[in-house]
Every structure is written in structure tokens, then in C-alpha cells.
Amino acid sequence: MLTMKKFEMPSAFTILMMIIIVVAVLTWVIPAGQYQQEDGKPVPQSYQHTAANPQGLWEILQAPIKGFYDARDIAFFILVIGGFLAVVMQTGAIDAGIGAVIKNLKGREQIMIPILMILFGLGGTTYGMAEETIAFYPLVIPVMLAAGYDTVTAVSVILLGAGLGVLGSTVNPFSTGIAAGFAEISIGQGIILRTILLIITEGIGIGYVMRYAKKVKENPKNSLVYEKMKENKEYFLSDESQESNDLNKSRKAVLWIFAITFVIMILSVIPWAYKFNITIFESLNSAIKSLPLVGPLIGDMPPLGDYWFTEMSVLFLFSSFVIAMVYGLGEKKYVDTLIEGARDLLGVALIIAVSRGITVVMNDGRITATILNWGERMLGDLTAISFVNLSYLFYIPMSFLVPSTSGLATLSMPIMAPLADFVGIGRELVVTSFQSAAGIVNLITPTSGVVMGALAIARLSYGKWLKFTAKLLVILMVTIMILLTLGTVI
């Protein structure tokens, strides 16, 4: 008897290589063209046809290589971030910090819900905290069950807390940073709207979870997993809950350095002089450089506001070294941890390379301008409000098809960002549309190891999770579209 093999979604690499092949075929069909450029942006209504340059097998094979070369600064930054986070996690500072919060709030679990969600949200908005949350489920679930809540509440505190932080990414290098890079804007552009988005959506999530938790505490029959509550308590409370490591002086110092690094990053990427005509950092930088001995010793360091991926790589690499020194990791342990962390994110760097290869084929095949011209003509009658909301709705199904946020950003931004120029809105709104749409999808997508791993640990079915989050997702989508609309007029 023949058995049907269960369909498995291809990996992101396979999907992206298939797109490269399709795009290469299109270079034989779509007319070639070009735009006049002004300040690196296409000039509206300046499109003209040019000689065709169809891409063959050799161009397909070399596209990921050229893509990696084109995106080398972003790819290297991702590897450095991986090493930095690995060094931080090696110290146990983040685990100890959150563990200390849980321990100090014992008996006041209702207050614990917003505090923990805010902490996880800060992790999500700054460095895309996702896989790192898995370690906290065995710690939080027993605490929540002992306080009279259920596993849905425990999962929500962590998964929604961090996930909504990622949705409202302010400086998250893995979504906002990469998208801004390929949109050819600073990561600091649009940070005010993204901060507002973060505060409002995280607030909505906290209110949603606390309302559900209160109902469960008042009457356990209100729990979506009421039939398993006794079984879950026996399972999760049978052993002593995991104790976190002590939050000693060294770990406190690591947390301070960790926080200061991200504060410097935020200050360094906001275009103070260029955008807001604030020259304090330029003046301070000039004063330091003019100091005898000190200036030459420091070297040609750029002022805050002029940093980009190369400078941010230096910042995080230096911070990882300082953290290792403060915590006393030792030279060998530090280097090994740094390399191991970079290795963990090598796949992300390679996805960026393959994704960028699509743009390489389009540009070399001279069809990018033609596709932009089609978009310009279609968007001619669209208002800015219509465009930004349609961009958001476009990115929701795309986030399912291309589950890698870095891959999707690399793939789409070279096309979507210039379209914003034709409509007359800032490219940062397209970046915000992308990250918020991907953030929504990543709360529920079954292709996410973070989502499915969390549900498996909590013994919570995927159907129950969808039922719990359904109303929240609708509220979030409406809220996001309202904020994007406001962003077009602010």
C-alpha cells in the first residue's frame, strides 16, 4: 500500500534559491529599464527602457556570493551580535536578573505579570529576544500555577511579553536594523513611532493577559485548560521549581554594561545633526579629538549619530570584551564563547546573503527599475494612508511564506522602500509596517521553534493558543494600522 509522505515546508534557503531562479527567468521576459537617481533615490516619472541583460546559470550560482559581498557589513554585524549575546548569556546575568525579580515578587504574582512582560518586552525590542526565553518557562510555569493561574497565563507572560517587544522593535538589529539597512535609512529614523507602537501594543498585551489571569484566579473553570489543571499542577509542581543563579555584583555589573551598550547604540544611530540639527555630539567629539595625547590615542571615532553597521559592530565587540573582563571569563572562555555565539547566527548571516542574491539578479538583469515603474503607476492614485496600510497587510502573508525576518527584510526592502518615495512618505514607515506584520505572525506561526517549543514545554495545544490569542491579534492589527496611519501625517 502506498503511503503519502507528509508535506514539509522547505527551508528558508531553499525558498530563497527558488526565488532567485524564478527572478533569473523573469530577466528574460521583463523589459529592462532604469531611473534617473537623485541622492541615491529614483526620481519619479524618470523611467526609461534600456538594453536587456538576461541572467543565466552562472549568474544564478554566483548571486548568493555577490549578495554576501554586498551585505558583508550587515552579515558581520549579525555575527558580532551573536558573539556579544553569547558572552552575556554565559555570565548568567539575564537569567539571574529575571530570577531575582520572580523571587522578590513571590506572593505578589499579579504584579509579576506586567513586570515580567515589560522585562521580556525590553529584551524583544532591543535585541530580538526569542530563543533565549525558552529557559524561563520551567521557572515561570510552576510559579504561576502555584499562584492560582494556569499554563496559558505563564506562556503568555513570556511569549507575548517578548513577542510584542519584537513587534514593536525600536533598535532590534535582526529585524529593524537589517530592514533599515536595505531600505538605505538609519535605524534611528522612525524610532519615535516605533517606541509609541511598543508602549501601546505591550500595554494592550499586558491588559489582555491580566484580564484573563484574573478570571482564572477567580474561577478556575474560566481557564482554557481547566480539564488539565490538576494534571498540570501534579506535573509542574511535583518537583522543586528551578532556582536561578544569584544576582551577585559581577552579574549586576554585566546587566549595567548590557543596558548601557544598547543606550549608546540608540544614541549612535539617531541622526542628530543631519535630521534634527542637534550638534552636541559633533562638538563633544571634536573637543575630545583636540585634546593632546588623548585625541590621537582614541583615534578617528565618529560622533554619536553617525554610526552604522561597522561602528555598531565595534561597539558590541568592545562591550563583549568589557563584560568578559568584568565577569572574569578568562581569555580562552571568552574567545570560545564569542565564536560559538557567532556560529549560532551564521545561518542568519547566510540567509541575508542568499536573500540579497535576489536583489543582485534583479539589478544585474535590469528589471528592478521596471518593477518599480509598475509599482509607481499602480500607486499613482493611492494615498499615503492607503499605501502604508496595504504594505502592512502585504507583509502578513509574506511573513508566513518567508519565516526568516532577516531574509524577508533583505528580499523586500530594496523594492518596497523606494515605492514609498513615489507616494511621498518616509521609508521608515515601510520598515515599521514590515516589523509589526512579522511580529504579529511570529506570535502564532507554527513554523516557529520558539512558539512550538514554548507550547510543548507548557503542554499547551496549538489550538488552545490560537483560541486565546485570536481576539488579541485583531485588536493589535487594528491598533497597528491606526498608528501607521497617524505616522503618515506626523
Side-chain angles (χ1 to χ4, degrees), residues 33 35 359 361-373 414-415:
Y35 272 98
T359 307
V361 172
M362 290 177 64
N363 290 342
D364 290 351
R366 300 170 189 168
I367 64 171
T368 303
T370 303
I371 294 173
L372 285 176
N373 183 52
I415 293 293

Side-chain angles (χ1 to χ4, degrees), residues 245-266:
N245 295 323
D246 291 334
L247 186 60
N248 53 34
K249 289 183 179 180
S250 295
R251 291 195 173 110
K252 287 179 180 178
V254 169
L255 288 177
W256 274 109
I257 297 168
F258 179 81
I260 290 169
T261 300
F262 277 97
V263 169
I264 294 173
M265 175 186 169
I266 293 170

Side-chain angles (χ1 to χ4, degrees), residues 44-239:
Q45 300 181 348
S46 67
Y47 174 81
Q48 57 187 3
H49 289 290
T50 187
N53 186 34
Q55 303 291 284
L57 179 61
W58 177 254
E59 285 75 22
I60 292 173
L61 294 174
Q62 74 172 356
I65 310 300
K66 293 179 70 174
F68 193 88
Y69 184 80
D70 285 355
R72 60 192 181 278
D73 55 346
I74 300 177
F76 184 75
F77 174 62
I78 293 300
L79 297 179
V80 171
I81 280 284
F84 168 79
L85 294 176
V87 171
V88 174
M89 297 306 290
Q90 179 66 38
T91 66
I94 291 179
D95 288 23
I98 293 179
V101 171
I102 294 173
K103 184 178 179 180
N104 292 333
L105 291 175
K106 194 170 184 179
R108 294 174 288 169
E109 282 78 9
Q110 189 171 8
I111 303 175
M112 187 187 301
I113 293 174
I115 291 177
L116 285 180
M117 289 187 72
I118 290 170
L119 289 174
F120 285 121
L122 289 173
T125 194
T126 51
Y127 69 94
M129 188 179 196
E131 288 84 359
E132 299 87 352
T133 61
I134 295 296
F136 295 106
Y137 287 96
L139 180 63
V140 173
I141 291 173
V143 172
M144 289 298 172
L145 290 179
Y149 301 119
D150 62 0
T151 53
V152 176
T153 305
V155 170
S156 301
V157 166
I158 303 174
L159 185 53
L160 291 181
L164 291 173
V166 174
L167 184 152
S169 292
T170 49
V171 291
N172 176 5
F174 303 110
S175 58
T176 308
I178 293 172
F182 286 109
E184 298 181 348
I185 61 171
S186 167
I187 192 176
Q189 290 180 242
I191 195 170
I192 295 175
L193 177 62
R194 294 197 299 271
T195 302
I196 294 171
L197 177 70
L198 169 68
I199 293 170
I200 292 177
T201 54
E202 194 77 42
I204 289 171
I206 290 170
Y208 191 85
V209 175
M210 290 188 72
R211 181 173 176 269
Y212 172 81
K214 183 180 178 183
K215 288 168 61 179
V216 171
K217 181 122 179 173
E218 290 174 349
N219 185 357
K221 290 184 178 179
N222 290 323
S223 170
L224 290 174
V225 290
Y226 174 68
E227 72 282 356
K228 294 183 66 176
M229 285 189 75
K230 183 179 178 181
E231 179 185 337
N232 283 337
K233 286 184 177 181
E234 290 176 354
Y235 181 82
F236 288 106
L237 299 178
S238 58
D239 299 317

Side-chain angles (χ1 to χ4, degrees), residues 271-344:
W272 301 105
Y274 165 72
K275 193 82 172 178
F276 306 109
N277 200 29
I278 298 173
T279 59
I280 182 173
F281 293 117
E282 272 74 8
S283 301
L284 180 62
N285 200 59
S286 298
I288 293 174
K289 285 183 178 180
S290 64
L291 292 173
L293 186 62
V294 175
L297 186 63
I298 292 177
D300 192 21
M301 182 177 65
L304 296 180
D306 289 351
Y307 278 42
W308 201 222
F309 286 108
T310 299
E311 292 78 12
M312 287 192 293
S313 295
V314 173
L315 170 64
F316 282 100
L317 188 61
F318 177 72
S319 291
S320 72
F321 175 73
V322 173
I323 287 172
M325 291 286 290
V326 168
Y327 193 73
L329 278 183
E331 182 269 339
K332 187 177 188 307
K333 187 67 174 177
Y334 165 65
V335 173
D336 289 346
T337 304
L338 193 73
I339 293 173
E340 188 64 32
R343 185 185 295 122
D344 289 342

